[in-house]
Amino acid sequence: MNRASKHDGTASAAVTVDLVIFTVREAGLRVLLIERGKPPFEGGLALPGGYVRVGEDLDQAALRELAEETGVDGRRLYLEQLRTFGAPERDPRGRTFTVAYLALGPDLPTPVAGTDAATAHWVPVETALSAELAFDHLAILKEGLDRARAKLEYTTVAAAFCREPFTIADLRHIYEVIWGFPLDPSNFRRKVTKAADFVEPTGESRTPEIGRPAALYRRGPAALLFPPMPRSSDEGREAHPSTVTA
């Protein structure tokens, strides 16, 4: 456990990492949750995570905790820091600051629980948003979902959810699942293919059981979308007011 030293009368504090890990499985957006195997919140659902060890940087701690608690290799994922959460009463064991991470990956495997986790499993995001999560993990989950949705507007991260090679329809499905509303296929194709270095054609195609062959693509070198792809109500959001949002 990494705990800061007392200084000028201030209380010591622990440092942890927590991970919001999204994947698309069974045509839906899933988040990885564990069942805690020890107090506090024993038996409760939580995001995977744990204490940062002495001499360990934050990224190393995130990758280690992910492997120990779920068996998922974080090096396969898109991983970035979300932000730090530090409300005084967020952890009943004492003052704790947690650095939250957002991780994204394509159709990730069934996780294997270990260390602090009794079980680990992929949960539909709508289910997780209505669950009673340990600590302040519901707030962290909501912020992670907001970040993931926003990043699809101005970065190429949506392609991180697709196994290569993929079709434009595969990529559109990612946007629809994460944004929560349908997109016009023709408009989407036009925007994706006009965005600089978003996707690159492989020169091959996939033949469906019904219909014409679909061209296959791989992720291009761009990290930012130009032009961006903003969410807009005329793409269907207003037509689906019941869509669950964070």
Side-chain angles (χ1 to χ4, degrees):
M1 177 172 63
N2 186 1
R3 187 174 291 276
S5 299
K6 292 184 178 181
H7 180 68
D8 293 337
T10 60
S12 62
V15 181
T16 63
V17 292
D18 288 303
L19 298 105
V20 184
I21 309 164
F22 292 122
T23 194
V24 174
R25 302 185 84 200
E26 300 171 356
L29 185 62
R30 303 289 189 265
V31 64
L32 187 59
L33 296 181
I34 65 165
E35 179 185 333
R36 287 185 56 80
K38 60 175 64 175
F41 305 105
E42 184 174 5
L45 294 176
L47 298 170
Y51 288 108
V52 178
R53 294 174 177 171
V54 174
E56 187 175 49
D57 71 25
L58 294 170
D59 289 355
Q60 290 173 337
L63 292 172
R64 175 184 53 76
E65 285 290 341
L66 185 57
E68 288 180 356
E69 294 201 4
T70 67
V72 172
D73 184 355
R75 293 170 299 180
R76 298 177 50 205
L77 310 179
Y78 172 90
L79 188 69
E80 70 168 42
Q81 284 189 21
L82 186 58
R83 77 171 177 88
T84 301
F85 293 77
E89 306 300 327
R90 64 173 304 275
D91 190 331
R93 294 169 293 189
R95 189 66 193 272
T96 304
F97 296 93
T98 192
V99 180
Y101 278 78
L102 173 67
L104 312 171
D107 192 20
L108 295 173
T110 300
V112 179
T115 62
D116 291 350
T119 62
H121 43 99
W122 295 108
V123 177
V125 166
E126 292 84 354
T127 301
L129 289 170
S130 62
E132 186 174 340
L133 302 185
F135 307 103
D136 53 357
H137 287 186
L138 182 58
I140 297 175
L141 170 59
K142 288 180 177 180
E143 187 145 338
L145 181 58
D146 286 344
R147 174 75 64 86
R149 285 173 169 166
K151 289 190 76 70
L152 264 61
E153 299 186 56
Y154 63 91
T155 77
T156 60
V157 75
F161 284 94
C162 295
R163 292 193 182 279
E164 294 183 335
F166 53 83
T167 66
I168 297 297
D170 293 334
L171 185 60
R172 187 182 77 249
H173 176 67
I174 299 300
Y175 275 86
E176 291 176 337
V177 166
I178 296 175
W179 281 352
F181 55 85
L183 300 172
D184 179 81
S186 297
N187 286 341
F188 182 81
R189 172 177 290 276
R190 175 177 53 81
K191 292 176 181 178
V192 167
T193 55
K194 286 189 175 182
D197 296 324
F198 185 6
V199 297
E200 296 177 340
T202 66
E204 301 177 341
S205 62
R206 179 190 301 162
T207 302
E209 294 182 2
I210 300 176
R212 296 181 298 176
L216 292 172
Y217 295 82
R218 65 173 65 92
R219 186 173 185 175
L224 299 177
L225 271 180
F226 184 79
M229 192 181 301
R231 286 173 284 179
S232 60
S233 59
D234 60 0
E235 290 284 9
R237 183 162 47 177
E238 289 182 346
H240 295 266
S242 62
T243 298
V244 176
T245 57

